Amino acid sequence: MRRTVFNEDHEAFRETIRAFIEGEVVPVHDEWFAAGQVPREFYYKLAELGVFGIRVPEEYGGAGIDSHKFEAVMYEETARAGVTFGGSGVHVLLGLPYIQMLATDEQKKRYLPKFVTGEEMWALAMTEPGTGSDLAGMKTTAKLSEDGTHYVLNGSKTFITGGVHADRVIVCARTDAPTAEDRRHGISLFAVDTTSEGYSIGRKLDKLGLRTSDTAELAFVDVKVPVEDLLGEENKGFYYLGQNLPSERWGIAFGAYAQAKAAVRFAQQYVQERTVFGKTVASFQNTKFELAACQAEVDAAEAVADRALEALDAGELTPAEAASAKLFCTEVAHRVIDRCLQLHGGYGFMNEYPIARLYADNRVNRIYGGTSEVMKSIIAKSMGL
């Protein structure tokens, strides 16, 4: 089947990104992997390439292209090369939508130019120790000062991707108590300056996968957040989070599909080169059947991911459709990557081979952005069950 989701502009961007990855990322990616994060200056290189400003309006220094398709190309090309760009995906996929949806004109003038240049990297802090997917159970508080000039932020967050390098973090905090009728009431969003007094970064978490992504614990002790950095209205944060979850889940779905596609590529290359019992591994019927089955699953995941992408760009991707795409694509990737690693034999367990890193990186896709179990609950509810 001919793929129709991308046009000539997207393919030209693909060539640029591929060349950038080959020249700027592949030669040093092992160093990033060992360090557990990318260098902060790398984000300036991405900014110079125009990656951060694609969906930012021209008046703030961006390209003003209202489409996620260039991000989709990025997912495919990083997976193809077996590399990751650290927390830059969070900056664009999670940070930007909240600025675009909630920021006032004054806030956009302050935030977006530095967003585009990489001068201010953004992250999103929702999860807390002990709450996981239960966002309504968060304990972090933000109390308005008596003079009404700032909020006083106290609490902690964990599993914050991009948390080490972030210059601004969108922090979810309680500005009011939940009601008996609605546990989700009382949550607000703040664009917190990470240089604020009382703001601290705890451990840089030692993860199974996504080793180049700086994931951290954050703590807030009497952090003063100017009222000018409240995003949207007080107590409507949970509603805002729900508005942006479909795009986040699409990103996870598309990234998982791209990883599955890359896994088949890695396995196909390996079995054609690897010789056992005097023959290439590719010559065995089991190998052919395994890779054929994997390719069929990747084709299906690609169709689902592309359909969700088109719906997202059209502003029509529903929460249930996003959940379905995430559930399907992440489960496919889990199966495909595992089978492709098996075809590598013992070498598939070695981190020097991209399939091993891909196996570890992929595992979180069925957890973050809402677990597979949460996705099933959302889909079931949309079915009236």
Side-chain angles (χ1 to χ4, degrees):
M1 292 180 287
R2 186 173 66 90
R3 198 177 186 194
T4 59
V5 71
F6 298 124
N7 62 28
E8 293 180 358
D9 290 339
H10 303 124
E11 295 307 330
F13 179 71
R14 185 187 303 278
E15 292 181 11
T16 300
I17 287 296
R18 187 173 295 182
F20 175 81
I21 290 172
E22 291 174 355
E24 299 286 343
V25 180
V26 171
V28 294
H29 196 262
D30 285 348
E31 297 174 20
W32 297 357
F33 185 85
Q37 63 185 37
V38 305
R40 177 62 176 83
E41 56 268 23
F42 173 68
Y43 294 138
Y44 292 114
K45 293 183 180 180
L46 285 178
E48 289 173 6
L49 205 60
V51 168
F52 297 153
I54 292 172
R55 290 194 287 117
V56 174
E58 293 181 27
E59 62 189 291
Y60 303 112
I65 301 173
D66 187 18
S67 173
H68 288 78
K69 292 184 179 180
F70 293 94
E71 291 166 45
V73 170
M74 293 274 289
Y75 282 122
E76 291 186 334
E77 290 305 307
T78 51
R80 178 185 182 275
V83 301
T84 56
F85 281 0
S88 63
V90 167
H91 180 66
V92 175
L93 186 65
L94 300 188
L96 184 57
Y98 289 98
I99 302 174
Q100 291 178 318
M101 178 175 72
L102 303 175
T104 63
D105 289 341
E106 184 276 331
Q107 287 175 323
K108 288 178 180 178
K109 289 177 183 177
R110 282 195 290 126
Y111 299 152
L112 287 175
K114 293 180 180 180
F115 181 99
V116 171
T117 62
E119 192 175 343
E120 279 192 352
M121 295 299 295
W122 287 62
L124 177 64
M126 292 190 289
T127 306
E128 296 183 1
T131 61
S133 296
D134 181 20
L135 296 179
M138 69 177 60
K139 306 296 184 184
T140 297
T141 61
K143 296 183 179 180
L144 188 63
S145 62
E146 291 185 5
D147 61 6
T149 62
H150 63 272
Y151 291 85
V152 180
L153 182 67
N154 283 283
S156 62
K157 300 290 180 177
T158 192
F159 305 147
I160 309 307
T161 303
V164 174
H165 284 322
D167 303 288
R168 285 263 180 190
V169 177
I170 300 173
V171 177
C172 310
R174 283 210 163 275
T175 45
D176 197 6
T179 65
E181 297 77 23
D182 188 1
R183 291 179 64 240
R184 299 169 294 183
H185 170 78
I187 294 171
S188 301
L189 307 183
F190 299 90
V192 180
D193 183 342
T194 63
T195 63
S196 301
E197 184 177 353
Y199 180 106
S200 63
I201 300 169
R203 291 184 302 151
K204 182 169 71 68
L205 300 175
D206 185 15
K207 307 185 300 296
L208 170 67
L210 298 178
R211 303 286 296 186
T212 68
S213 174
D214 53 308
T215 303
E217 296 175 328
L218 306 179
F220 321 112
V221 179
D222 294 334
V223 176
K224 293 182 179 180
V225 182
V227 293
E228 293 82 8
D229 286 327
L230 170 69
L231 287 173
E233 297 182 37
E234 262 195 8
N235 304 325
K236 292 189 176 181
F238 200 96
Y239 168 76
Y240 299 143
L241 294 171
Q243 290 291 100
N244 281 322
L245 279 173
S247 64
E248 178 183 353
R249 287 167 179 164
W250 163 80
I252 297 170
F254 204 96
Y257 139 71
Q259 289 175 323
K261 182 177 182 179
V264 173
R265 176 174 176 266
F266 295 145
Q268 188 172 350
Q269 290 175 337
Y270 179 81
V271 298
Q272 288 173 331
E273 297 168 358
R274 174 69 168 157
T275 301
V276 294
F277 306 117
K279 299 190 296 184
T280 63
V281 175
S283 66
F284 292 93
Q285 186 182 62
N286 179 69
T287 303
K288 296 175 182 178
F289 281 7
E290 283 292 285
L291 283 177
C294 287
Q295 184 60 53
E297 290 216 74
V298 169
D299 287 343
E302 180 180 86
V304 170
D306 284 357
R307 186 181 69 177
L309 172 55
E310 295 284 21
L312 180 63
D313 270 9
E316 299 171 354
L317 184 65
T318 68
E321 289 169 343
S324 178
K326 180 182 184 295
L327 177 66
F328 182 78
C329 291
T330 57
E331 294 292 340
V332 164
H334 162 65
R335 293 191 296 269
V336 167
I337 294 170
D338 184 73
R339 293 163 84 174
C340 288
L341 186 149
Q342 188 72 17
L343 289 173
H344 282 71
Y347 289 106
F349 205 64
M350 301 295 112
N351 273 326
E352 65 186 275
Y353 282 79
I355 191 67
R357 299 184 185 186
L358 198 58
Y359 182 87
D361 289 350
N362 173 260
R363 185 59 185 87
V364 75
N365 288 332
R366 292 181 289 149
I367 298 173
Y368 67 3
T371 63
S372 291
E373 292 72 24
V374 170
M375 297 305 100
K376 291 174 184 177
S377 295
I378 293 169
I379 298 165
K381 185 175 179 180
S382 75
M383 298 168 65
L385 300 174

